[in-house]
Amino acid sequence: MGVQISIISFLFFSFAFSQSFTIKPYLQNASPTSIVIMWEFSSYSNSVVEWGESNLLGNTDAVIYEFTHYPSCLFTAQINNLQPNTTYYYRVKNQSVVSSIYSFVTPSVSMDNNSTTMIAMSDMQMDSRYPLKFKEVNDAIINYFQENYEGPIAQNLDLVLIPGDLVKTGSNYNHWKDHFFFQSQVLFSQVPFYPVLGNHEENSNFYFQYMNLPQNGTQGFEEHWWYKDYSNVRIIGLNSNSEYQISEQINWLDNILNMTILDDNIDFVFAQ
């Protein structure tokens, strides 16, 4: 009996200590007064995000969750009541497992007309001949900003645009976990990214679970198309896949462009 108890205890503690981040924290959908932080854990656990204007943090927010590839669980925290153009620090906790402390900078308000720095990159689906090419690109971006700018990258790079084909097979969980998020974890923990669907995403549920994008597209097509403002820049995200080349999207785009013409705070428009 003593041997059986020891085996059961060993299995229990092995399971407890094997819990870990399957996808480390990354940033989505920033505004001058809010930001979304997301991460995935190997199973459900009590989770919070801690944040503040210094490494001391000091604030704690609750999170919501959903299962992605059971038992892996995706957590989402939206931090509100932030100040524009301000550096904040954060970390996430899942029971006894704690992430590193990261930082981000909230966008400026449109009327300030502050400059916006962005990077566009796409088609990072893994090529078996160059399996770590996406990580090389991310490392090169970080090195460039470290060598040419002072301060953390979040103070010098506002956002990243990704016009499609984030993974090779959108319905394959490991392509998201290992190919996309693992290779980009350092950059996207500090700088938010804004993708649109490519054909390789396959309109998969994983894409819509992992992304938190503006909900200002046509009703019923949320996150298929959207727009986002950074300072005096308006970014428009479109779904150009053949099955979505429909009047609902064209009419929405016409309305957004007409609205933009009348907005004195928007000077530049980028579409992806």
Side-chain angles (χ1 to χ4, degrees), residues 165-172 175-176 197-208 224 239 241 243-244:
D165 292 350
L166 286 70
V167 294
K168 186 173 183 179
T169 306
S171 57
N172 188 316
H175 287 192
W176 290 102
L197 289 147
N199 64 301
H200 279 274
E201 275 65 70
E202 300 179 332
N203 203 36
S204 72
N205 192 48
F206 285 130
Y207 175 89
F208 293 101
H224 283 276
N239 186 341
N241 288 292
E243 62 269 38
Y244 289 96

Side-chain angles (χ1 to χ4, degrees), residues 234-245:
R234 176 156 292 168
I235 299 157
I236 299 175
L238 301 170
N239 186 341
S240 61
N241 288 292
S242 57
E243 62 269 38
Y244 289 96
Q245 295 176 17

Side-chain angles (χ1 to χ4, degrees), residues 17 43 56 64 72 76 79 106 114 118 180 189 216 219 223 233 242 248 250 260 265 267:
F17 284 110
S43 62
L56 297 177
I64 60 174
S72 296
T76 301
I79 303 176
T106 49
N114 286 345
M118 67 181 80
F180 182 77
S189 64
N216 50 23
Q219 186 175 2
E223 295 188 312
V233 176
S242 57
E248 287 86 348
I250 297 300
T260 305
N265 291 319
D267 299 313

Side-chain angles (χ1 to χ4, degrees), residues 37 49-62 77-83 88-92 102 104:
I37 301 170
V49 60
E50 299 176 327
W51 60 276
E53 291 190 50
S54 74
N55 285 327
L56 297 177
L57 306 176
N59 303 287
T60 301
D61 276 16
Q78 178 166 321
I79 303 176
N80 298 310
N81 301 316
L82 304 179
Q83 295 300 312
Y88 290 92
Y89 298 82
Y90 75 95
R91 71 178 181 183
V92 302
Y102 309 99
F104 63 86

Side-chain angles (χ1 to χ4, degrees), residues 154-172:
Q155 296 178 3
N156 299 295
L157 176 61
D158 295 288
L159 69 147
V160 174
L161 302 180
I162 306 181
D165 292 350
L166 286 70
V167 294
K168 186 173 183 179
T169 306
S171 57
N172 188 316

